Amino acid sequence: MKDNDSATATATIAVSTPDAGGLGTPTTADAGGRRTPTTPAATARGALVGRGALLAALGVAAFSLTFPGTAWALEGMGPWTVVMLRSVLAAVVAGGALAVFRVRLPERRHWAGIAVVAGGVVLGFPLLTTLALQTSTTSHAAVVVGLLPLTTAACSAVRTGVRPSRTFWIASLVGAVIVIGFAVQQSGGAPGRGDLLLFAALLVCAAGYTEGGRLARHMPGWQVIGWALVLVLPVTVAGAAVALSTEPLQLTAHSVGGLLWLAFGSQFLGMVVWYRGMAAIGIHKASQLQLAQPLLTLIWSVLLLGERLPPAAPAAALAVLACIAVTQRARG
């Protein structure tokens, strides 16, 4: 019977079908003779999806260095100084680019979404995670923030009206239980202040990602984050002035390098490629690429910060990845 398997298996064969002009049109044909044209539009779409996935992956790589960069910056600066200065520096670059290219103001209908991006990824997430890292290690924070892909997918489902399957929600709940259990175990029986800040950061960041991905379908990704940075510039400038006058400041190679990466790598360039990738492949699909972010951050915490991983951290991160992988398959 095995010798005859090839006769019954479904096969796809590339052929050319003459069109009206006598030219060959690429098609694919299965064993039943059904042919589907392979159009230039389909090929271009495949290239767009591949490029979008690459851009989103580059964004994830940039974000994986955010916690180590924050830890470095906190070695010589206070938390409010770090948050405000990173936003101010990124806004200078973004505002300069908007001015040089003479980008018009966004339409009125887009400003509410830009405000959500500003509140979520420019102010909310950086501030909450920076405050959390004063009492949490980067490896601990990385595992807790491993719920961000699930949170983003859920936020997108609510925002877009998509109805995920029961399997999706079961896997999401299991992943949440694993992360909460890890946080409680590491905190000695109850969630600590740092954990509560990290969970709040998940919510505001997911909202910012969802709105940014939606807006990136109407304007380039760099303009989305650019206008968000410019929108809150008066707040961040005033906040930076107050923070610098009240918090200690010690400029070292680590503190300066960490701040510069946060401003230009995580806050601007990372968001540019991330939003552009989300626009190309969709919010749900892009969010799943963040599965690798906790593991990458765990690696950086060891290589750059010399941290020793809690024994449960890698296992918790891998368990969360498995749960999110189930949600990806369930949506398909």
Side-chain angles (χ1 to χ4, degrees):
M1 180 63 71
K2 291 184 178 179
D3 293 337
N4 295 327
D5 284 349
S6 60
T8 58
T10 300
T12 300
I13 305 171
V15 298
S16 292
T17 303
D19 56 20
L23 299 177
T25 300
T27 64
T28 57
D30 59 21
R34 294 185 297 271
R35 290 192 177 122
T36 303
T38 304
T39 63
T43 302
R45 174 60 184 167
L48 177 63
V49 169
R51 185 166 63 251
L54 176 60
L55 290 171
L58 289 175
V60 170
F63 299 153
S64 71
L65 280 162
T66 298
F67 286 173
T70 301
W72 272 9
L74 287 173
E75 291 181 10
M77 307 175 192
W80 289 91
T81 300
V82 172
V83 173
M84 296 303 167
L85 281 183
R86 66 179 278 183
S87 295
V88 169
L89 292 174
V92 170
V93 176
L98 291 170
V100 168
F101 292 103
R102 299 181 180 179
V103 178
R104 294 182 179 179
L105 288 171
E107 298 177 25
R108 182 179 299 178
R109 62 192 177 98
H110 294 321
W111 278 108
I114 291 173
V116 173
V117 173
V121 303
V122 175
L123 292 178
F125 186 79
L127 177 59
L128 292 168
T129 54
T130 299
L131 292 174
L133 285 174
Q134 290 188 296
T135 56
S136 299
T137 64
T138 58
S139 56
H140 178 92
V143 175
V144 176
V145 176
L147 272 182
L148 184 56
L150 288 175
T151 312
T152 302
C155 184
S156 175
V158 172
R159 183 71 172 87
T160 61
V162 175
R163 300 293 183 183
S165 67
R166 181 180 300 178
T167 302
F168 172 88
W169 292 117
I170 292 174
S172 299
L173 180 60
V174 172
V177 170
I178 292 171
V179 171
I180 293 172
F182 171 82
V184 170
Q185 186 268 332
Q186 292 296 309
S187 301
R193 174 175 175 270
D195 296 319
L196 297 178
L197 291 171
L198 289 170
F199 286 131
L202 292 176
L203 297 178
V204 298
C205 188
Y209 279 175
T210 300
E211 283 302 307
R214 185 185 64 82
L215 288 170
R217 297 176 180 175
H218 304 281
M219 65 183 77
W222 73 272
Q223 293 181 21
V224 174
I225 187 61
W227 286 118
L229 287 163
V230 171
L231 178 64
V232 296
L233 186 58
V235 175
T236 54
V237 168
V242 173
L244 287 170
S245 65
T246 57
E247 292 184 333
L249 178 66
Q250 183 178 2
L251 299 181
T252 64
H254 274 187
S255 63
V256 173
L259 178 65
L260 292 178
W261 174 257
L262 292 174
F264 305 124
S266 298
Q267 190 77 78
F268 186 64
L269 294 178
M271 296 303 301
V272 168
V273 294
W274 174 243
Y275 280 145
R276 188 170 180 180
M278 292 181 83
I281 66 177
I283 297 172
H284 282 79
K285 188 173 292 186
S287 69
Q288 300 310 303
L289 292 176
Q290 284 193 299
L291 304 181
Q293 187 171 326
L295 294 180
L296 288 174
T297 301
L298 291 175
I299 294 172
W300 294 130
S301 69
V302 173
L303 296 179
L304 300 179
L305 305 176
E307 290 186 2
R308 298 184 61 181
L309 297 183
L318 290 174
V320 170
L321 298 188
C323 291
I324 302 176
V326 172
T327 67
Q328 176 70 5
R329 294 177 62 86
R331 283 202 303 276

